[in-house]
Amino acid sequence: MSVATALSGPLPEAEHRAQLRKAVIASAIGTTIEWYDFLLYSTVTGLVFGKLFFPHSDPLVGVLEAFAIYTVGFIARPIGGALFGHFGDRIGRKATLIATLLITGLATFAVGLVPTYESIGIWGAVVLTIIRFIQGIGVGGEWGGSVLLSMEWARTNQHRGFITSWPQLGGPAGLLLANVAVLAFSAVSGDQFLVWGWRIPFLLSIIMVGVGLYIRLGILETPAFQKILNENRVERAPVVEVLKRQPKQVFLSMFARTAEQAPAYIYLAFVFAYGTQVLHQPRDFLLTALITAGVISLFTIPISGALSDRYGRKRIYLIGSVLTGIFGFVYFAMLDTMVPGWIFLGIVLSFVPHDLMYGPQAALIAEGFTPRLRYSGSSIGYQLASVTAGGPAPLIATALFAAYRTGYAIAIYIAICAIVSIIATVMMPDHTNKDISEEHA
């Protein structure tokens, strides 16, 4: 059965192609906006929040406290994955994605309005924590819907790795925009950056929300979900069903992400605390290096997605996991030279092994779930790694450095994460270029 026949009436080939193109663009731009919102917080945490919301702490302790609030957003993501996974499998991918965009964007806008410790004391940190939790819920529901919006409009089985790598571009594109915004307003505000300059990038997110809504409102529901509606196969409680029927796939997805999640948030969030306080590098230098890394990822992610179509999802993912485990030692060796050129190169190269996993990751995870439970299963499996890997990583890195005063302790932690991912990936099924349109028993 072709994908088009999943609709109540088959779409002409040209219209199906047009819908696929719209879905890929909408997913990529939508995830870019959502990740801009989420990663902007990551960037500013190491630079600003410890100083403004915990001013009486030792600088390293203040960063640790700020990262604790930062981690709250990751704890919320599996909740968002389950909540929006439920609605994504019951009312559709499109409507759910509109809701996630609104929640994340409005929460990010609100961060720019939070009073600091100087104005309202510890209540500033409390409000920031609540907003971060809401933001995490929105982001938790975003990824699964964006991936499925692209994947379920695919016209053949041969290019799903490449197609689903485009929503993954939202990560580096959002990181790129977030760092450009911080860098620009750092230059504009100068000495006033800690007073008002850091707030502007958060407030600007409201404009991006409007753009994202305009794009997503113009997309049709996916053929796969329309087929589920036509066959009256919508589950009453998809979250419960996927945990009952495919628990192994959920937890293998979580563990497979460990080597992608934990190092990534060390490289993009902890690096600001390490770079400014240990390496004594200016924040604009670190921002520029991360911007360059984001530009490279715009190419390496779709390339690795395409490679997974040719050589298999698991093979490319395992190569990325092994390289990630090795590169942690190279990374801190380059940074600890204290030579700006080597520091810059280390930061720029840090996401290349990560992208070998991130490109095929969406297809590797989503293909393993039956269509009627796919939004819930892929979202929960993907977002659980936020609690076990992504969220704690900057906290663990900060604590390891505080205890051992060497980046190599953090490199050992990264290597352990890589081993976890290698084991989990070996145990996962590989559906590269196979038909995934039929329901599992």
Side-chain angles (χ1 to χ4, degrees), residues 1-13 16 152-155 223:
M1 180 184 292
S2 68
V3 178
T5 59
L7 299 170
S8 54
L11 281 179
E13 181 69 15
H16 193 105
E152 293 181 348
W153 272 108
R155 295 167 53 248

Side-chain angles (χ1 to χ4, degrees), residues 9 14 18 20 34 45-46 64-65 100 105 142 156 165 180 182-183 292 295 298 320 347 370 393 398 402:
L20 171 60
E34 301 258 8
T45 296
L64 199 59
E65 291 168 329
T100 62
E142 164 69 23
T156 71
S165 71
V180 166
V182 174
L183 183 63
T292 307
V295 171
L298 294 177
I347 293 173
T370 192
T398 306

Side-chain angles (χ1 to χ4, degrees), residues 233-353:
R233 300 197 65 158
V234 175
E235 287 284 352
R236 288 177 56 87
V239 172
V240 174
E241 284 300 311
V242 78
L243 292 176
K244 182 166 64 176
R245 296 177 181 275
Q246 294 189 271
K248 180 180 177 181
Q249 181 69 12
V250 169
F251 289 104
L252 286 179
S253 299
M254 176 189 75
F255 287 121
R257 293 198 66 216
T258 305
E260 175 264 313
Q261 273 274 285
Y265 286 100
I266 291 171
Y267 296 151
L268 66 84
F270 174 75
V271 68
F272 287 106
Y274 192 80
T276 56
Q277 296 183 25
V278 179
L279 305 178
H280 306 294
Q281 297 298 314
R283 65 171 181 255
D284 290 358
F285 171 79
L286 300 171
L287 285 166
T288 303
L290 272 177
I291 288 169
T292 307
V295 171
I296 292 174
S297 289
L298 294 177
F299 298 93
T300 50
I301 287 174
I303 288 172
S304 62
L307 287 173
S308 79
D309 287 323
R310 182 176 179 86
Y311 299 107
R313 313 269 184 258
K314 289 175 63 171
R315 182 175 298 174
I316 301 301
Y317 203 90
L318 286 169
I319 291 172
S321 299
V322 171
L323 291 178
T324 295
I326 296 170
F327 185 77
F329 296 94
V330 178
Y331 176 79
F332 282 102
M334 296 174 81
L335 266 59
D336 288 348
T337 63
M338 307 290 283
V339 177
W342 285 114
I343 294 172
F344 189 89
L345 185 62
I347 293 173
V348 167
L349 294 178
S350 60
F351 283 93
V352 174

Side-chain angles (χ1 to χ4, degrees), residues 30-53:
T31 52
T32 297
I33 294 168
E34 301 258 8
W35 282 113
Y36 168 85
D37 292 344
F38 200 76
L39 295 174
L40 178 60
Y41 196 107
S42 304
T43 300
V44 173
T45 296
L47 292 174
V48 174
F49 289 163
K51 299 172 184 175
L52 294 185
F53 293 94

